[in-house]
Amino acid sequence: CMSEHSVDIRKKGRKLFSEGKEKKEINTMKRLHFKVFGETEEYSVIFDKQKGKFSCDCKFFTLRQKECSHIFACRISEENI
């Protein structure tokens, strides 16, 4: 079941994406680097192609190791290509 929290994260992620707050910076063989502009700070999101996993340097992801709105925005971006 979807927790309230993950619904909120998706909503925030969609908002970030629709406002153009996410941009792809570097695409290497192993990684895809994104920059996401939050309300007060900018965050670095990395997609590890070998592991098939995203990571973000925000406090939420660092503490919980769960997908944050920044990662969700980048995920939407990738699916829209």
Side-chain angles (χ1 to χ4, degrees), residues 9-19 72-73 76:
I9 280 173
R10 285 164 184 263
K11 203 180 285 180
K12 278 186 181 168
R14 280 195 195 95
K15 187 174 189 292
L16 287 167
F17 175 74
S18 67
E19 291 175 357
F72 193 69
I76 295 170

Side-chain angles (χ1 to χ4, degrees), residues 1-2 9 12 14 16 18 23 25-26 29 34-35 39-40 44 46 58 61 64 66 68 70 72:
C1 104
M2 293 280 276
I9 280 173
K12 278 186 181 168
R14 280 195 195 95
L16 287 167
S18 67
K23 68 173 181 151
E25 292 214 303
I26 306 162
M29 291 284 289
F34 298 87
K35 188 65 77 187
E39 286 169 33
T40 53
S44 181
I46 295 170
C58 74
F61 182 83
R64 296 184 182 77
K66 287 189 178 163
C68 58
H70 314 113
F72 193 69

Side-chain angles (χ1 to χ4, degrees), residues 28-69:
T28 67
M29 291 284 289
K30 296 181 180 178
R31 293 193 183 97
L32 201 46
H33 295 256
F34 298 87
K35 188 65 77 187
V36 180
F37 301 91
E39 286 169 33
T40 53
E41 294 175 59
E42 59 182 58
Y43 302 99
S44 181
V45 174
I46 295 170
F47 178 67
D48 184 317
K49 295 177 183 178
Q50 290 170 314
K51 293 179 185 166
K53 288 185 178 174
F54 280 94
S55 64
C56 180
D57 61 0
C58 74
K59 205 172 281 180
F60 178 86
F61 182 83
T62 307
L63 295 173
R64 296 184 182 77
Q65 294 296 299
K66 287 189 178 163
E67 193 167 284
C68 58
S69 58

